[in-house]
Amino acid sequence: MSLTLRTISREQHLAYIQSLPAASHMQVPAWADVKSEWRSENLGWFDATGQLVGAGLVLYRQLPKIKRYLAYLPEGPVINWYAPNLEDWLRPMLAHLKQQGAFSVKMGPPVIIRRWDSAAIKSGIQSPDVKRLRDVEATFIEPRAFEVAERLRRMGWQQGEDGGAGFGDVQPRYVFQVPLENRSLEDVHKGFNQLWRRNIKKAEKAGVEVVQGGYEHLAEWQRLYEITAERDHFRPRPLSYFQRMWTALNTEDPNRMRLYFAMHENEAVAAATMLIVGGHVWYSYGASANHKREVRPSNAMQWRMLRDAYALGATVYDLRGISDSLDETDHLFGLIQFKVGTGGQAAEYLGEWDFPLNKLLHKALDIYMSRR
C-alpha cells in the first residue's frame, strides 16, 4: 500500500476525526489553539486512491536561539498503528518533519498494552510483595502492542530512559478508565465499591447538587483549582489557559468541553472539566474546597459526569492519569485508590517515543531538560 503525506487544512483534519469512533482530545485541530505557544501543523496520510486515511496534529517548539524544532504529536498521530507496514506510515512523516526543521520527533502512540481490572488492582494493593501495577498480573494483554513496540525499535525510535516507568513521558502512561460499552447504567453503578456507593448516597442526602457551568463560571473554577493546587503542592495553570481551552475547543465543537460544579447550600465545593471526542469522554481537571468534604461532593460530581457521558453514547469514561505505585505510603496512592472505587480498569499505554533526527541536538536537549 503506497501512502503519501502532506499538510492538510484544519477542516480536512476535523472532518477526518469526526469520521472516527474516537481520538485523543490532543489530536483535534483546536488543540493547537490551546497550546498557542507552539507552532502547529495538520498532517494527512493519503492512500493510492487519494483518500485521507490518517491525520496528525504536530506541535513545534523552537530550541532557544536556533531555528530548529522539537516536533511533538501528543497521543498521536491518528493512524493504523497495527498496520504490518508501519514503516510506510512513519517514514514519510519523519522526512516531512525533518524538512520543517525538526531535530527530534516525540510521539505518543494511542496503543494500549495491558489492562488490569479493579479486582486485580485490589489484590495487588493487599499483597505486601507488590509495589507497582506492573508487578500485578494483567487481566488483559494486547499482543499486537508488543509488535508495534518492536517495529518502532527496529526503525530507530527510542523509548524514555526510565525503561517505561512513565516519568520521562509528557502524557500519562497509566490511565484509569470506566468502560461503558454494552453496559447498563445500573451495571456501572453496581461496579462501584461500597465506599463509592455510600458516598454517592451521602451526597444526595446532604443535598449536594451537580450543575453545569459556562465560560463565565471559569473564575469560580479557578478559585477552587488554586485551593487544590496549594493543598496538593502543584503549580496551577492560569485562568487564561482554561479560558483559551474553553473558547478554542467549543468553537470547534460546541460539546467538546464541559464544566461541572458540585454545589452545597449554594456554594461551589468541587468542580471538574470534561472533554468529549466521539465516544471517548475524559474527566480532565478536578478541584475541590478544603471544607465540606464530608458531604462527598467529588463522588456526586463523578457519578453525574459518568451518567452524562453514558447519555452521550460514550464507550469509555476516562479518569486520566494514575501513578503505577500501589504502595500506600506513596503520596500518589490516594489517586489510584479514589479511581479504583469506580470499578473500572487501569490501562497502560505504549508510552512516548523519540526519534532523534539530529543526534547531537537531541542529546543537547536531553541535557538541557534534565537540568531544568
Side-chain angles (χ1 to χ4, degrees):
M1 172 171 135
S2 72
L3 290 162
T4 51
L5 176 130
R6 62 173 182 268
T7 306
I8 55 173
S9 70
R10 287 179 68 139
E11 290 71 35
Q12 281 174 294
H13 185 169
L14 182 60
Y16 180 72
I17 295 285
Q18 284 167 336
S19 75
L20 304 172
S24 167
H25 60 275
M26 296 182 196
Q27 281 295 307
V28 300
W31 194 251
D33 302 327
V34 179
K35 297 291 170 190
S36 54
E37 69 278 21
W38 299 63
R39 178 165 73 86
S40 67
E41 186 184 13
N42 307 79
L43 296 181
W45 280 259
F46 294 85
D47 67 10
T49 68
Q51 183 158 348
L52 185 60
V53 289
L57 174 70
V58 188
L59 302 173
Y60 293 99
R61 170 62 67 86
Q62 192 174 341
L63 263 189
K65 299 192 178 50
I66 50 172
K67 268 223 168 322
R68 286 304 197 80
Y69 302 87
L70 166 69
Y72 180 37
L73 294 98
E75 297 183 2
V78 185
I79 59 173
N80 177 10
W81 284 96
Y82 298 125
N85 62 330
L86 190 58
E87 293 85 348
D88 297 350
W89 290 80
L90 296 178
R91 271 207 198 99
M93 179 181 89
L94 289 173
H96 175 86
L97 297 175
K98 193 171 187 170
Q99 268 181 329
Q100 296 290 312
F103 68 89
S104 186
V105 181
K106 186 188 264 300
M107 65 177 184
V111 173
I112 287 175
I113 320 184
R114 288 180 266 262
R115 292 183 187 276
W116 295 263
D117 64 21
S118 292
I121 300 167
K122 272 182 212 143
S123 70
I125 291 170
Q126 281 154 8
S127 162
D129 307 329
V130 171
K131 291 282 176 248
R132 302 213 158 270
L133 195 51
R134 75 181 91 128
D135 302 334
V136 178
E137 194 182 335
T139 316
F140 166 81
I141 288 181
E142 173 55 85
R144 295 180 304 170
F146 295 95
E147 287 172 36
V148 174
E150 199 37 55
R151 286 192 183 115
L152 292 176
R153 271 189 211 102
R154 277 207 302 270
M155 283 178 69
W157 288 86
Q158 302 167 359
Q159 225 175 347
E161 305 281 299
D162 59 14
F167 304 113
D169 296 346
V170 185
Q171 303 309 328
R173 177 157 183 164
Y174 294 91
V175 300
F176 203 87
Q177 301 178 336
V178 181
L180 299 176
E181 209 170 8
N182 304 322
R183 294 177 76 191
S184 67
L185 258 184
E186 189 189 8
D187 181 36
V188 174
H189 187 264
K190 268 197 195 122
F192 288 164
N193 69 12
Q194 269 179 319
L195 186 64
W196 261 82
R197 290 204 298 268
R198 236 191 353 253
N199 285 345
I200 290 167
K201 241 197 197 108
K202 209 182 247 182
E204 245 170 72
K205 264 207 178 107
V208 172
E209 230 186 315
V210 181
V211 298
Q212 264 184 263
Y215 180 88
E216 66 280 13
H217 302 111
L218 284 169
E220 179 60 9
W221 146 263
Q222 190 71 16
R223 183 185 70 80
L224 285 167
Y225 171 64
E226 284 177 13
I227 290 170
T228 308
E230 198 173 323
R231 184 176 65 235
D232 295 346
H233 312 291
F234 65 84
R235 257 182 60 198
R237 289 188 180 276
L239 173 61
S240 58
Y241 180 80
F242 294 102
Q243 289 173 327
R244 193 162 68 236
M245 200 169 169
W246 182 278
T247 306
L249 296 178
N250 289 334
T251 301
E252 178 174 275
D253 179 329
N255 203 18
R256 186 77 84 218
M257 179 176 175
R258 289 184 178 189
L259 180 60
Y260 286 85
F261 290 99
M263 310 290 295
H264 186 252
E265 294 168 341
N266 292 327
E267 180 191 4
V269 284
T273 61
M274 180 160 119
L275 300 175
I276 301 150
V277 183
H280 203 130
V281 171
W282 293 264
Y283 152 58
S284 161
Y285 285 88
S288 60
N290 291 330
H291 63 300
K292 293 203 170 177
R293 297 170 90 84
E294 70 285 351
V295 298
R296 303 297 174 201
S298 295
N299 299 87
M301 188 168 60
Q302 289 297 342
W303 176 227
R304 162 72 193 270
M305 288 164 75
L306 248 165
R307 292 200 316 267
D308 285 4
Y310 189 88
L312 286 166
T315 53
V316 62
Y317 179 72
D318 196 322
L319 291 124
R320 286 293 280 171
I322 50 170
S323 138
D324 85 325
S325 172
L326 298 181
D327 182 354
E328 302 194 15
T329 59
D330 190 302
H331 72 288
L332 291 169
F333 177 74
L335 197 61
I336 189 165
Q337 204 175 25
F338 177 75
K339 294 177 181 183
V340 166
T342 61
Q345 310 166 332
E348 179 191 0
Y349 278 94
L350 208 48
E352 294 191 323
W353 293 70
D354 294 305
F355 196 99
L357 292 164
N358 178 321
K359 291 201 167 65
L360 199 68
L361 284 176
H362 179 81
K363 192 82 198 125
L365 179 81
D366 262 2
I367 294 165
Y368 169 72
M369 293 309 281
S370 66
R371 285 191 184 148
R372 291 187 65 177

